[in-house]
Amino acid sequence: MQLHHSLSLALSILRMAVRATSLPYLNVTAVTHAGGESVLQCWQLPSPFAVSASPGVANGSYAFLGAVANATLTVIPARSEGGRHYAQPQWVHFVTGLAHITLPTASDAAWIRGGKYGLLWAGDTPDRSRGGHSTYYWEESVTLALMMPDGEEPAHRVVRQGACLLEDLVGMAGLGVRDCVECDDLKGPQGGYGQVNTPI
Ligand SMILES: *[C@@H]1O[C@H](CO)[C@@H](O)[C@H](O)[C@H]1NC(C)=O
Ligand SMILES: *[C@@H]1O[C@H](CO)[C@@H](O)[C@H](O)[C@H]1NC(C)=O
Ligand SMILES: *[C@@H]1O[C@H](CO)[C@@H](O)[C@H](O)[C@H]1NC(C)=O
């Protein structure tokens, strides 16, 4: 009993230590520009997720997205054609829904599913992109757009050309999973772990 107790305590400490040193970097699909046209890229932010010390977010993992200027919440009906357009530099978080982003000059496309993996960067301004991009909303979508002041782009590293792939996002899956040895008593009503979205 004593041994079991100290063993599980050691395990929890180890897990906390591993967690503290191995939080992933945030990768995000970017509708950006290259060679005078809109392109899709997968970007990585310069700092990894960190454990929050802010009251109210209960030790959640956070990624700082920078100072933003204006925030707009939009509800878009299902099967809406957003049309060909340009984007002033902004973060767009798809809260719910399903959107399909296509380009006039390339066969690349991005599917953005609202929720935990629903963050997108858009910044193909008309002075940097001839053709812009198109967005089609398959499902009713709620988006939260956060404009960057002075048209700034976030510091980033290009992980790959094209939208982020599953392997670029899968590190998010572990965030929000409860960090404990015996979690059975913490299972939610559907028997799964609480699917609490990380606040942004
Ligand atoms: C946050 O983590 C600290 C240190 O592990 C712990 O003492 C505290 O109870 C945690 N807070 C919540 C709300 O889980
Ligand atoms: C924010 O909104 C104000 C008022 O509409 C506008 O003047 C300003 O240019 C906007 N800033 C950005 C970065 O979009
Ligand atoms: C971001 O990409 C890196 C590899 O470039 C990967 O190790 C990491 O887990 C990814 N982050 C997320 C949140 O999936």
Side-chain angles (χ1 to χ4, degrees), residues 68-71 88-89 147-151:
V68 294
N70 291 332
Q88 290 304 316
M147 307 288 301
M148 292 299 269
D150 309 320

Side-chain angles (χ1 to χ4, degrees), residues 150-164:
D150 309 320
E152 274 170 41
E153 284 189 348
H156 66 274
R157 171 175 93 75
V158 178
V159 175
R160 67 179 78 253
Q161 300 299 323
C164 291

Side-chain angles (χ1 to χ4, degrees), residues 31 81-85 100-104 110 124 131-136:
V31 182
E81 177 59 77
R84 188 100 75 77
H85 61 283
H100 189 209
I101 297 171
T102 52
L103 304 170
D124 55 340
H133 67 277
S134 301
T135 309
Y136 186 82

Side-chain angles (χ1 to χ4, degrees), residues 26-145:
L26 176 62
N27 309 308
V28 64
T29 294
V31 182
T32 182
H33 52 86
E37 286 298 352
S38 294
V39 297
L40 290 166
Q41 292 179 340
C42 182
W43 285 6
Q44 182 168 98
L45 266 60
S47 309
F49 274 94
V51 176
S52 181
S54 302
V57 293
N59 294 344
S61 308
Y62 76 95
F64 183 62
L65 298 181
V68 294
N70 291 332
T72 308
L73 186 75
T74 308
V75 183
I76 304 153
R79 306 208 170 241
S80 292
E81 177 59 77
R84 188 100 75 77
H85 61 283
Y86 305 90
Q88 290 304 316
Q90 60 189 284
W91 293 107
V92 182
H93 191 260
F94 285 76
V95 181
T96 61
L98 179 63
H100 189 209
I101 297 171
T102 52
L103 304 170
T105 50
S107 57
D108 282 3
W111 289 93
I112 307 293
R113 159 70 65 196
K116 189 174 184 180
Y117 306 93
L119 185 65
L120 176 83
W121 168 262
D124 55 340
T125 49
D127 56 324
R128 286 157 158 178
S129 164
R130 272 184 291 273
H133 67 277
S134 301
T135 309
Y136 186 82
Y137 300 86
W138 283 94
E139 297 176 5
E140 182 191 278
S141 299
V142 176
T143 65
L144 182 63

